[in-house]
Amino acid sequence: MNLPFPARRPLALAALVGALALSSTALAQQTPVAVPEAVGVSSTRLDRLSDVLQGYVDEGRLAGMVALLTRGGKVVYHEAFGQRDVEAGAPMRRDSIFRIASQSKAVTSVAAMMLVEEGRMLLSDPVGKYLPAFADTTVAVAGDDGGYDVVESKRPITVRDLLTHSAGISYGDGAAVAAYQEAEIYGWYFADNDEPIGVTVDRLAALPFNAHPGDEWIYRYSSDILGALIERVSGTDLDSFFRERILDPLGMTDTHFYLPVEKRDRLATVYAATPEGGIERSPDVGGMIAQGAYVDGPRKSFSGGAGLLSTASDYARFLQMLLAGGALDGERLLSPKTVELMTVNHVADRFPWAAGAGFGLGFRVTLDLGTTGQYGSDGAYSWGGAYHTTYWVDPAEELVAVLMTQLIPAGNSDLQAKFQTMVYQAIVR
């Protein structure tokens, strides 16, 4: 259905700076705000960005969204559009909370590298050293008759394989799909699981995987296994590790696996794209395409692959830490050399999702701008989430960009490509 939304006027420069300065979010309190022109960004061209984003709301293609940009470590743009809940008439706010799904993977990757820096594990360590269920894994080899054979993996899965999604593990598709369904391990959604992630991961280890370790880039359960590995090595659950070692030091007070009940009214509603180009509200229950169990669920499964909720401002602080070489506001999480290692290509030419790009220790990395055919810079790193959220860090431009919305499935939405274009056209020096 196409839903009517109120129009929004582009912000004038003074209003923009004033709105940013008065923002109650953590980022605006802790990160300096700049007049866009002071850091080489055009306010007039940012109005173009606002017009484009507002257009998706006015045309009924999105309920709402929040966009945030920093350049040179300063906030130059932080805007909310549309509504958090259309049916309730609740406006989107800058501090609205979103399901960020696979954007959780970057946080999990940072947590793992913190343990590497402390000498508690090596990237080359076999996962089975810490999670014995992974000591001997298998691979499903499809046969001509529609069945499959199970063979031993050629080598052990390593920590680096998990970080680069080279472990050969999918989300339960492939030749052995029936085995995953029988084990009730299928898809990325864990919020309604009534067991700890470590138990799920141990059950997963007994299933045949899609490829031998290191042979292919296969995106799926690796970060959930990595989360269970972090729990085992650190001796604490992933929720506590994140809170004590990453979220609290960075002031990410609105990032959670399960939402505190008092924040329920800030959680953005999930919508789905319709074939006609509009949106419809997702059902209240039914897993990943529904509103989810993030408030009223069992609160037992801390999914490092897709479990977090966050705000645009919280997540921008996390990215700003990476852009600044692993530290922010006096809190150092990683060394600059670790960030450097995480944001270069580790998979040779095995990354299948985009020409001119590779994959590092948790991020897609732009290798050749001309081959990608997209705005950006060589060396920029990025990813997104299933609910149509996206982010990137561009060290060459000292730029952080975050776009949060809740649309699954997103259909043929071109929102992310338009957002990227409109961000870069606003940079004038």
Side-chain angles (χ1 to χ4, degrees):
M1 60 182 173
N2 287 305
L3 300 168
F5 297 94
R8 176 187 174 279
R9 297 178 183 273
L11 284 178
L13 174 59
L16 171 65
V17 175
L20 288 170
L22 292 173
S23 172
S24 62
T25 63
L27 182 69
Q29 289 176 351
Q30 300 179 34
T31 302
V33 175
V35 173
E37 279 72 12
V39 291
V41 179
S42 165
S43 297
T44 300
R45 286 174 171 262
L46 286 177
D47 282 346
R48 292 181 182 176
L49 168 62
S50 295
D51 290 342
V52 168
L53 297 183
Q54 183 63 40
Y56 285 87
V57 174
D58 293 342
E59 294 166 14
R61 294 196 284 167
L62 280 175
M65 73 199 92
V66 176
L68 192 151
L69 307 176
T70 73
R71 196 169 194 222
K74 298 180 180 180
V75 181
V76 295
Y77 187 89
H78 189 189
E79 287 297 310
F81 300 85
Q83 294 178 299
R84 176 186 58 79
D85 186 320
V86 174
E87 290 75 16
M92 189 68 76
R93 302 182 347 188
R94 294 187 186 93
D95 66 351
S96 291
I97 296 171
F98 299 83
R99 304 154 188 83
I100 63 171
S102 286
Q103 289 188 206
S104 309
K105 291 176 169 66
V107 183
T108 304
S109 298
V110 165
M113 294 308 294
M114 293 172 78
L115 294 176
V116 169
E117 283 196 342
E118 293 168 4
R120 301 172 75 174
M121 63 183 184
L122 291 169
L123 291 175
S124 58
D125 278 345
V127 175
K129 179 178 179 179
Y130 308 101
L131 299 176
F134 284 84
D136 298 296
T137 58
T138 59
V139 174
V141 180
D144 295 334
D145 60 354
Y148 63 91
D149 296 320
V150 177
V151 301
E152 294 182 359
S153 297
K154 294 177 181 178
R155 66 164 176 81
I157 296 169
T158 66
V159 175
R160 186 181 182 217
D161 289 332
L162 296 180
L163 283 158
T164 60
H165 297 281
S166 300
I169 304 171
S170 74
Y171 271 153
D173 50 16
V177 61
Y180 282 78
Q181 291 174 334
E182 184 178 352
E184 297 183 342
I185 300 177
Y186 190 75
W188 53 265
Y189 184 80
F190 288 93
D192 58 355
N193 273 20
D194 198 22
E195 66 182 15
I197 192 66
V199 174
T200 306
V201 162
D202 278 350
R203 293 196 294 112
L204 172 65
L207 300 173
F209 300 147
N210 289 48
H212 291 280
D215 280 3
E216 298 180 33
W217 189 91
I218 298 178
Y219 177 73
R220 295 300 182 251
Y221 285 127
S222 289
S223 295
D224 288 296
I225 301 167
L226 191 65
L229 177 65
I230 291 165
E231 290 190 337
R232 186 67 55 85
V233 173
S234 69
T236 187
D237 64 77
L238 198 62
D239 184 38
S240 298
F241 189 95
F242 279 6
R243 180 65 50 201
E244 295 165 9
R245 300 293 305 277
I246 298 173
L247 305 180
D248 284 350
L250 294 180
M252 297 171 65
T253 57
D254 286 326
T255 302
H256 308 275
F257 280 108
Y258 294 95
L259 199 63
V261 174
E262 66 270 17
K263 296 184 181 182
R264 180 193 301 262
D265 290 342
R266 290 168 54 197
L267 182 61
T269 302
V270 181
Y271 292 87
T274 66
E276 298 75 27
I279 59 171
E280 61 184 8
R281 187 186 185 95
S282 295
D284 287 339
V285 295
M288 57 185 152
I289 62 171
Q291 304 307 322
Y294 297 100
V295 178
D296 299 320
R299 297 176 178 254
K300 291 183 180 180
S301 184
F302 304 132
S303 166
L308 287 175
L309 309 150
S310 193
T311 61
S313 53
D314 265 17
Y315 206 81
R317 284 194 64 77
F318 172 74
L319 298 177
Q320 195 67 48
M321 174 274 296
L322 292 168
L323 178 60
L328 188 66
D329 294 342
E331 296 284 348
R332 178 161 295 282
L333 275 63
L334 297 172
S335 80
K337 293 302 290 184
T338 298
V339 176
E340 179 185 352
L341 181 63
M342 295 178 73
T343 55
V344 296
N345 184 31
H346 284 249
V347 298
D349 59 355
R350 298 193 304 276
F351 183 65
W353 284 15
F359 205 85
L361 304 180
F363 308 93
R364 167 187 154 157
V365 182
T366 299
L367 305 177
D368 188 301
L369 194 63
T371 302
T372 68
Q374 299 173 336
Y375 280 88
S377 303
D378 290 353
Y381 48 98
S382 60
W383 206 239
Y387 295 96
H388 211 41
T389 60
T390 191
Y391 72 85
W392 72 89
V393 177
D394 186 334
E397 294 293 346
E398 297 185 73
L399 175 73
V400 165
V402 179
L403 180 66
M404 298 289 201
T405 189
Q406 303 281 254
L407 186 69
I408 182 172
N412 61 355
S413 173
D414 59 0
L415 169 68
Q416 294 182 1
K418 286 282 184 72
F419 177 62
Q420 189 166 346
T421 297
M422 300 313 294
V423 168
Y424 279 103
Q425 65 83 36
I427 297 174
V428 292
R429 68 167 171 81

